Amino acid sequence: MSPPSAAYFADVQFAGACPQTDTCCQPCMRPNYAAASASMSSVASASEASPPQVEPLQFLPFGAEQDRGCIGNRGEATFPADGMLCQPMLEDVLGSVWNLSRDREGCRRVQEALDIDDADIRGRVVAELRGHVWEALRCPHANHVIQKWISVSAPEESQFIIDEIMSHGHGGVTQAARHRFGCRIIERLLEHCRAPQIDAIVCEIINDSTALSSHPYGNYVVQHVLEHGPPCAKRQLAEHIGRCLPNLRFDGSMGAVVAKALACGEIECRLELARRVLAVPGLIRRMAPTRHGHIAVKLVLQLFEESPIEHAAACGALDYDMDTLKESRYGRFLVAYLLSDSSDARSQCLELTACATPSKCSAGKLNTSLTRIRAQRALGGA
């Protein structure tokens, strides 16, 4: 049987007044299915006798659908289905780029214009942004437009952004790095520009890296240098962090910067930094229960897995005071890693620790700690 046609729905009758009250001002919408069933039977028999007539397709002229979709019912411009700006909308953007960039909805339209694969149009759009970079990096909306341009353009086309930031003199880069929105633009420059372009930016960041690493926004810029900066910059920054370790506080974002330095860069630099961490008395114990510091401690242990003696010394620096570590959320993560038996080197370090740190605690205390660790590992394996 063919599906019900429009005739079925047209013949549906509505039964009586509203069952709740006879004075209801709305007609009752309860359909009379008995009448509808009879109508459907007649429609089915008629469809079996003669096939349905199919209306020919009507094709709109080229461009009619796009033009029709540019203006909404209220007269405002809308995006067509393919997500690209049509000509009327593009004309609204050009000439008003800076004003639109500072608006929540307008900045989206400017970013769509930057996605157009037309060098002339994109050049006209970015020409209106020149001279406004410093204002844009402090604007909650315009900063997205600058980030978009850096991401979609060639590195040399973003040189004017670097020049405008550097024009604010010494401290301009670090001031932008400490800003809630400005730090994002510095990060995009580090990701997409060539090393000679960002040399001056990286130099300022390294010189102020100690203060930036403790800043809620600046620490992300330092981490970006460690991840995306030139190899020489990564080495310089890792060495600077290693020299400053004895004077650093790890109750904030500093631990995240140290962890990033231990995770990125050449293996020789990472091993040297891990040895510097181990050389500072009590540093590993202070880092272990903190949010970012426990990740840095785990990375130190991983870097030393190929060196059982250094690995044992790193484990001994924790004094295996599991009860104290378990009192903090992040300490428990580290305890779970230490008690994991997935690595033979990690298992051997439990035995070597008794010989590596004889002066820190008595043999009885070490034996008790090792017995407790072995029992906990056995329960975990069961």
Side-chain angles (χ1 to χ4, degrees), residues 51-296:
Q53 299 294 325
V54 179
E55 296 182 359
L57 293 175
Q58 297 181 356
F59 294 94
L60 294 173
F62 178 77
E65 290 183 330
Q66 185 181 15
D67 293 340
R68 185 177 58 182
C70 293
I71 304 298
N73 294 332
R74 298 182 183 179
E76 70 272 18
T78 58
F79 290 103
D82 59 2
M84 296 300 295
L85 286 173
C86 55
Q87 190 63 30
M89 290 187 63
L90 188 58
E91 293 299 331
D92 290 341
V93 170
L94 295 176
S96 304
V97 170
W98 176 236
N99 289 332
L100 290 172
S101 297
R102 290 177 291 175
D103 178 70
R104 180 176 181 179
E105 298 298 329
C107 73
R108 299 177 186 271
R109 295 170 61 185
V110 177
Q111 292 179 69
E112 291 287 344
L114 292 176
D115 273 328
I116 297 176
D117 190 14
D118 188 318
D120 179 63
I121 292 176
R122 291 168 59 180
R124 293 169 62 186
V125 171
V126 76
E128 299 184 42
L129 295 174
R130 293 179 181 272
H132 299 290
V133 171
W134 193 256
E135 297 174 77
L137 65 80
R138 294 178 294 174
C139 176
H141 309 302
N143 79 89
H144 295 290
V145 177
I146 301 296
Q147 291 185 72
K148 182 71 173 182
W149 174 252
I150 298 171
S151 301
V152 302
S153 65
E156 58 272 9
E157 294 177 334
S158 298
Q159 184 61 44
F160 77 95
I161 299 174
I162 299 174
D163 294 340
E164 291 193 33
I165 294 175
M166 297 302 298
S167 67
H168 283 74
H170 182 72
V173 172
T174 55
Q175 185 179 349
R178 287 179 170 88
H179 196 274
R180 178 181 179 182
F181 309 125
C183 66
R184 305 173 184 176
I185 294 177
I186 302 296
E187 290 169 9
R188 299 294 87 75
L189 291 172
L190 293 170
E191 291 172 3
H192 296 280
C193 291
R194 297 190 177 96
Q197 292 180 278
I198 58 174
D199 275 344
I201 291 178
V202 171
C203 184
E204 283 201 36
I205 293 171
I206 293 176
N207 291 337
D208 198 26
S209 59
T210 303
L212 286 174
S213 297
S214 301
H215 192 272
Y217 303 120
N219 79 90
Y220 295 110
V221 175
V222 178
Q223 292 184 59
H224 255 65
V225 174
L226 290 167
E227 185 173 359
H228 300 282
C232 59
K234 294 180 181 180
R235 287 194 297 269
Q236 293 176 12
L237 187 52
E239 292 172 1
H240 181 79
I241 292 173
R243 290 193 299 269
C244 298
L245 280 175
N247 302 320
L248 299 181
R249 297 182 60 185
F250 290 88
D251 53 354
S253 57
M254 180 62 73
V257 174
V258 175
K260 180 67 72 172
L262 290 166
C264 300
E266 300 172 354
I267 186 63
E268 293 80 7
C269 295
R270 294 160 58 193
L271 281 170
E272 179 61 26
L273 181 59
R275 294 186 180 105
R276 286 178 177 268
V277 171
L278 185 59
V280 178
L283 180 58
I284 285 184
R285 283 200 301 274
R286 287 191 286 120
M287 295 169 62
T290 61
R291 177 184 178 184
H292 303 294
H294 85 281
I295 300 175

